[in-house]
Amino acid sequence: MGDKNHLLYVVTIHAILALLHFIVSDAVETLARAGGRQERWQLLRNNTGVVAMHMALTHENTVIIFDQTEAGPSQYRLHQRYNGRRCSTRSRADLKDGACYAHSVEYYIHGNNLRPLRFVSDPWCSSGSFLSNGTLLQVGGHGRGSQRIRYFRPCRDHLCNWQQSKRSLSGNRWYASNLLLPQHDRVIVVGGRNAYSYEFIPKLHTKDRSFNLPFLHDTHDEDGGGNNLYPFLHLSSDGNLFIFANRDSILFNYQRNRVVKTFPRIPGGGSRNYPSSGSSVILPLDHQDRFQKVEVMVCGGAASGAYEAAARGRFLPALSSCGRMVITGNNHIWKMENMPRPRTMHDMLILPTGHILIINGARRGCAGWQNAATPSLRPYLYNPKKSRGQRFTVLKATRIARMYHSSALLLPDGRVLVAGGNPYNTYTFSNVAYPTELRLQAFVPDYMDRQFNDLRPGNVTVEYEGHSSGVAYGTAFTIHFWLGRRPSKDVEYSVYAPPFTTHSISMNQRLLKLRCRHTTRDGGGLMSAVLEAPPSPNVAPPGYYLLTVVNNGIPSLSQWIRFIPA
């Protein structure tokens, strides 16, 4: 009886704190609107059926959403199991059988509708990368899924589904990260729980297995739940791999299995990787320096001891600090600054403007089942080009908590899709502080407001020359777009690699600002621009990217473009 009273007390306290937070947020939100910002939130669907633990945008303008299969029944019932046996609504066993429910769905952006997808192994806390043909390679997970390799190749006939490879990973990859490499559609998979190693997909030789990575041993925090799981991976323009785990980072030559550089430790206490769950991006790469300056940014995380404290029901304030460091050249210094408030379990997305959106998460605690409190309801916008102290803007709040097992990603129309949230190992909707969240939202940045329509480029099309399947590296290609008024002097052309998002990590995310050789005005508002493709796969690995024309800070709707070897 005492345990039940304690639980009721904790839930009540959390509810009061959440209510107070909403009241304060409403007051700040009024001030934000008074300042003229026009960003807004849209509720797209009340029920996706499946928690968005993982999300990925495909080049067919659909979003793959999926959860673990071990959570039991989701909210998307199936008429039959994937083995063909029918699911009965009259059978109590079938009503509780997770095989009678979908654990993955495909979301159609334009129609705002869903269809169920098949999973045959558990992808709980797994990782993913898009291959050069747009296929989603998805690996690892829990239990029998920890060594599985899965593929989803998007299609237009709505008949495609998950396929599982007959080959397996060498090691168990639960909470691992992966990244597409420049060479031959190879993916590197790094880390995981009790996995201090990395491996490649596909393997070049049948005897190839995993390779030991001492860096992961050195950064492991046994008492803190690891704090080096889901390491941050970024491909540098020199072809080497930046790996960040816990508070430390290295530049790694994966072809020679050699550490090229050991970077200074990021200042401040706490940790940045799961379960502390900060987030990281590469800041936009620019043609003006031939994409040679690569600067990473790491924000948020959890305080030292947060994991152990959460197990006792005490939620420590998260970290508010962000660090930026140039990983190319020879001068490596973390330049620190603070977010408006502490944050953990958040997502960091690069917008077409080159600004960084920080969204979702919590202010106290860390990742894990019921390990956090006080949701972060207000996104932050970060402008890398402003002076320190003026880079963050606090945006309009949502009323939906997005904490553990939530995710976010950028859509081709400039909105940000936001979904998920479930701090429980089953779908739980009542008598808890933060219920399982199945509502689907879009955050609409202020650059999409109607007042900017006269500045917005429209009808962007890509003209392929020589290769019908894509644009070769280093070559010129032409795009056409409509602009009713004369373009500003500040027109930029960017390409964006859509990530695989899960657990505060956007794997493979990068944005490049391309060189424009010249533009012509063809009459009637039609413009043509001759752009230069990225110089090599080291700068932009082969595959599909979103191309956007940005006129005086106002982006067009994005169009898909594919970069291929010559």
Side-chain angles (χ1 to χ4, degrees), residues 243-284:
I243 307 177
F244 184 106
N246 202 327
R247 291 188 291 162
D248 297 318
S249 52
I250 57 174
L251 192 66
F252 187 65
N253 186 326
Y254 56 85
Q255 299 187 76
R256 296 185 177 181
N257 191 26
R258 184 167 65 89
V259 175
V260 178
K261 293 180 183 177
T262 298
F263 296 106
R265 172 171 287 183
I266 192 169
S271 301
R272 308 285 178 163
N273 294 86
Y274 186 92
S276 289
S277 294
S279 193
S280 176
V281 294
I282 287 185
L283 295 182

Side-chain angles (χ1 to χ4, degrees), residues 232-246:
F232 305 143
L233 307 180
H234 298 301
L235 179 67
S236 180
S237 57
D238 62 6
N240 290 314
L241 186 65
F242 175 82
I243 307 177
F244 184 106
N246 202 327

Side-chain angles (χ1 to χ4, degrees), residues 3-22:
D3 289 342
K4 291 183 178 179
N5 289 336
H6 177 71
L7 177 61
L8 180 61
Y9 172 77
V10 171
V11 170
T12 303
I13 291 298
H14 284 173
I16 293 172
L17 289 173
L19 179 61
L20 290 173
H21 178 80
F22 286 143

Side-chain angles (χ1 to χ4, degrees), residues 349-360:
L349 299 174
I350 311 171
L351 299 182
T353 55
H355 299 165
I356 310 301
L357 182 71
I358 302 175
I359 196 167
N360 297 344

